[in-house]
């Protein structure tokens, strides 16, 4: 099931994989935009657009679209992320052309009905307010704000109450007109149709869509430099949330490397520290010391600077010792080499989960289209496991020493626990 890459005459990049094992067709349509392209006064714009994109075309109402899709057991939907906007479809092969043509109409010329825009605005505002009641969401929000400051990554994809409240249908139309164009689109298609037949269907649905003469806007985002701070939000909860964050490299390619070595090493350290019940954080801080209700780590793949985050939910009286425990476990990696068995176990876990994440048509379409959209190319799918396998203990320690210095700290919990939780130096 080798992927085929084709660029249509109008600039659409197409990734195709023929998989005859199931009578299913799955497509992912990646628009190279996302929240990183939103002006600060319009944060939440692409989320709102995703919410209303399937709510009307020139010939179909929201209800008629839903009936058309559901009557054949298909699914379509839109969502936004920091680095791309995604439209998805899934259907049996017999209905693929019909659902593809509908999807093309929704992508190219949604009507964005005013009533639907206002409804989805209200729902988005409710979701933003609900996040302010969730300790984890509060902790992560203030960590993002501290780390990213004026960069769009500082804000949830939902946006801010102040910006979402002012969004208009005209704002959505302008954003759509600016970024939804064939030369800014990647289509990743996986299913049982032969490649030539699938390309012909895509040409029929999208071939007459021409790019406007204006170039795609280039965005100028602020440079990020570490300025570690401590943020606290008092909340009378039954547990404290403790988060430590470190600015980390993006997945941008570096000269001579298809997979940046630092990126591969940090992905491996993320697995070692916080992935699953056998991870270092879980074993040391939950199983042995009983400090954590929940403990983990994450290092997302980003176009711009990413963040390496470790976090814990703990009893309020353990807030200070939880900070110390997390710092010790992260910063020990700057001084010690991982044993060969620890390194290999982390590699096996990461590579095994990576392989299991490509079992369905939807998963394959997602990952290949995502890599192409980020500018990595479908080759990244083969190169990433190779890069992980090549990470050495010395490389892991060197990368940890570079990035795991002074952390940003975000705390949410009862006032008394936060006031007594000022971090002390790691010994």
């Amino acid at each position: 099931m080798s992927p085929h890459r084709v660029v249509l005459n109008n600039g659409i990049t197409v990734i195709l994989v023929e998989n005859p094992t199931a009578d299913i067709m799955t497509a992912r349509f990646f628009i190279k935009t996302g929240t990183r392209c939103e002006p600060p006064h319009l944060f939440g714009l692409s989320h709102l657009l995703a919410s209303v994109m399937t709510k009307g075309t020139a010939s179909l109402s929201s209800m008629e679209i839903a009936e058309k899709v559901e009557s054949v057991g298909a699914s379509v939907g839109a969502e936004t992320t920091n680095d791309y906007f995604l439209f998805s479809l899934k259907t049996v092969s017999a209905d693929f052309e019909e659902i593809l043509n509908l999807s093309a109409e929704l992508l190219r010329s949604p009507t964005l009905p005013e009533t639907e825009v206002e409804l989805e605005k209200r729902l988005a505002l409710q979701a933003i307010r609900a996040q302010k009641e969730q300790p984890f969401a509060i902790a992560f929000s203030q960590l993002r704000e501290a780390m990213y400051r004026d960069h769009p990554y500082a804000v949830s994809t939902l946006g801010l109450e102040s910006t979402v409240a002012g969004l208009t249908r005209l704002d959505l139309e302008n954003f759509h007109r600016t970024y939804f164009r064939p030369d800014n689109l990647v289509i990743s298609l996986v299913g049982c149709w032969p490649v030539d037949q699938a390309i012909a269907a895509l040409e029929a649905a999208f071939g007459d869509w021409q790019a406007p003469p204006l170039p795609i806007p280039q965005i100028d985002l602020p440079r990020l430099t570490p300025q570690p701070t401590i943020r606290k939000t008092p909340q009378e909860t039954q547990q404290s949330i403790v988060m430590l964050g470190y600015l980390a490299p993006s997945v941008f390619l570096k000269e001579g490397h298809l997979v940046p070595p630092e990126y591969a090493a940090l992905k491996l350290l993320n697995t070692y520290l916080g992935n699953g019940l056998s991870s270092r954080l879980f074993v040391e801080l939950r199983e042995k010391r009983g400090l954590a209700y929940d403990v983990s780590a994450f290092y997302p793949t980003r176009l711009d600077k990413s963040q390496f985050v470790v976090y814990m939910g703990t009893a309020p009286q353990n807030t200070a010792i939880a900070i110390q425990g997390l710092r010790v476990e992260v910063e020990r990696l700057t001084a010690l080499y991982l044993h060969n068995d620890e390194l290999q176990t982390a590699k096996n876990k990461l590579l095994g989960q990576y392989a299991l994440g490509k079992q369905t048509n939807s998963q394959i379409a997602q990952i290949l289209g995502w890599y192409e959209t980020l500018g990595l190319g479908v080759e990244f799918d083969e190169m990433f496991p190779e890069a992980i396998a090549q990470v050495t203990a010395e490389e892991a320690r060197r990368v940890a020493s570079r990035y795991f210095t002074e952390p940003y700290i975000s705390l949410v919990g009862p006032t008394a626990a936060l006031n007594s939780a000022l971090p002390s130096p790691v010994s």
Side-chain angles (χ1 to χ4, degrees):
M1 295 192 298
S2 299
H4 299 261
R5 183 181 185 276
V6 177
V7 179
L8 304 185
N9 290 334
N10 58 2
I12 297 176
T13 300
V14 181
I15 308 298
L16 303 111
V17 176
E18 184 179 350
N19 181 10
T21 57
D23 188 33
I24 299 293
M25 298 293 288
T26 298
R28 296 285 190 269
F29 304 84
F30 292 83
I31 303 293
K32 297 178 184 178
T33 177
T35 63
R36 68 191 295 273
C37 297
E38 295 175 348
H41 66 290
L42 298 178
F43 283 146
L45 179 61
S46 51
H47 171 79
L48 184 59
L49 177 59
S51 300
V52 299
M53 176 163 278
T54 59
K55 300 301 175 65
T57 71
S59 59
L60 296 170
S61 68
S62 175
M63 184 62 68
E64 289 169 333
I65 291 168
E67 290 175 352
K68 193 176 184 71
V69 172
E70 293 173 6
S71 67
V72 295
S75 64
V76 300
E79 60 186 279
T80 194
T81 73
N82 294 119
D83 294 329
Y84 60 86
F85 185 104
L86 179 66
F87 189 94
S88 306
L89 76 81
K90 183 177 181 181
T91 183
V92 295
S93 62
D95 302 312
F96 173 61
E97 281 187 283
E98 179 182 3
I99 301 301
L100 176 65
N101 290 332
L102 172 63
S103 299
E105 190 175 356
L106 291 169
L107 267 171
R108 295 171 59 173
S109 53
T111 51
L112 310 176
E114 189 76 47
T115 54
E116 298 288 352
V117 172
E118 292 305 313
L119 171 60
E120 294 299 334
K121 271 177 60 174
R122 291 195 295 272
L123 294 176
L125 289 169
Q126 289 175 12
I128 293 169
R129 292 170 189 139
Q131 284 186 338
K132 295 179 179 178
E133 304 297 324
Q134 302 163 7
F136 182 92
I138 296 169
F140 189 38
S141 176
Q142 66 186 5
L143 183 69
R144 284 197 314 266
E145 291 168 4
M147 297 180 75
Y148 287 109
R149 304 188 293 280
D150 296 328
H151 192 288
Y153 286 178
V155 180
S156 162
T157 55
L158 291 174
L160 305 172
E161 271 194 89
S162 58
T163 57
V164 172
L167 293 176
T168 67
R169 180 176 180 274
L170 181 60
D171 293 326
L172 301 186
E173 288 182 331
N174 289 337
F175 189 82
H176 182 273
R177 186 181 306 111
T178 299
Y179 291 104
F180 284 66
R181 44 192 287 171
D183 54 347
N184 202 37
L185 173 63
V186 174
I187 301 176
S188 181
L189 178 61
V190 181
C192 58
W193 278 27
V195 168
D196 291 346
Q197 186 179 351
I199 292 175
L202 292 173
E203 287 275 17
F206 292 96
D208 63 339
W209 190 18
Q210 297 302 310
L214 294 175
I216 300 168
Q218 298 298 307
I219 56 174
D220 184 19
L221 298 177
R223 286 178 60 87
L224 294 169
T225 56
Q227 298 179 16
T229 59
I230 300 171
R231 299 283 183 94
K232 301 179 181 182
T233 296
Q235 191 178 64
E236 297 309 308
T237 57
Q238 295 184 340
Q239 63 174 308
S240 292
I241 303 296
V242 177
M243 284 189 178
L244 275 57
Y246 306 83
L247 281 175
S250 76
V251 72
F252 261 139
L253 304 184
K254 297 182 180 179
E255 188 176 351
H257 296 283
L258 184 58
V259 183
E262 292 183 342
Y263 171 83
L266 285 170
K267 279 296 186 185
L268 190 60
L269 291 175
N270 174 71
T271 297
Y272 169 76
L273 276 176
N275 190 331
L277 305 184
S278 62
S279 66
R280 174 79 186 188
L281 294 179
F282 191 93
V283 171
E284 294 296 323
L285 301 182
R286 177 183 166 106
E287 294 298 291
K288 292 184 179 180
R289 299 179 62 183
L291 287 176
Y293 300 132
D294 181 30
V295 63
S296 191
F298 55 89
Y299 168 48
T301 298
R302 291 284 180 266
L303 273 176
D304 301 312
K305 271 192 187 296
S306 187
Q307 56 185 166
F308 192 106
V309 178
V310 294
Y311 68 90
M312 182 193 302
T314 190
Q317 66 269 21
N318 291 331
T319 303
I321 197 171
I323 298 171
Q324 181 78 352
L326 285 172
R327 290 198 64 174
V328 166
E329 291 303 329
V330 173
E331 293 172 21
R332 70 184 282 274
L333 297 173
T334 68
L336 301 175
Y337 293 103
L338 293 181
H339 296 305
N340 287 337
D341 58 339
E342 291 178 309
L343 194 66
Q344 193 58 52
T345 297
K347 289 179 180 181
N348 292 344
K349 182 191 295 186
L350 176 55
L351 295 177
Q353 292 175 343
Y354 185 76
L356 290 173
K358 300 185 295 178
Q359 297 301 298
T360 68
N361 286 356
S362 297
Q363 290 171 327
I364 297 169
Q366 175 67 30
I367 200 164
L368 294 181
W370 180 44
Y371 288 160
E372 180 66 31
T373 302
L374 294 181
L376 303 171
V378 294
E379 301 87 356
F380 192 84
D381 182 45
E382 294 183 358
M383 297 302 296
F384 176 71
E386 294 177 11
I388 294 298
Q390 292 170 7
V391 175
T392 64
E394 168 57 31
E395 178 75 6
R397 190 203 62 79
R398 184 189 66 78
V399 171
S401 298
R402 177 172 181 180
Y403 292 102
F404 298 158
T405 53
E406 189 71 19
Y408 293 81
I409 298 175
S410 176
L411 306 174
V412 175
T415 302
L418 300 192
N419 289 340
S420 63
L422 289 176
S424 55
V426 175
S427 58

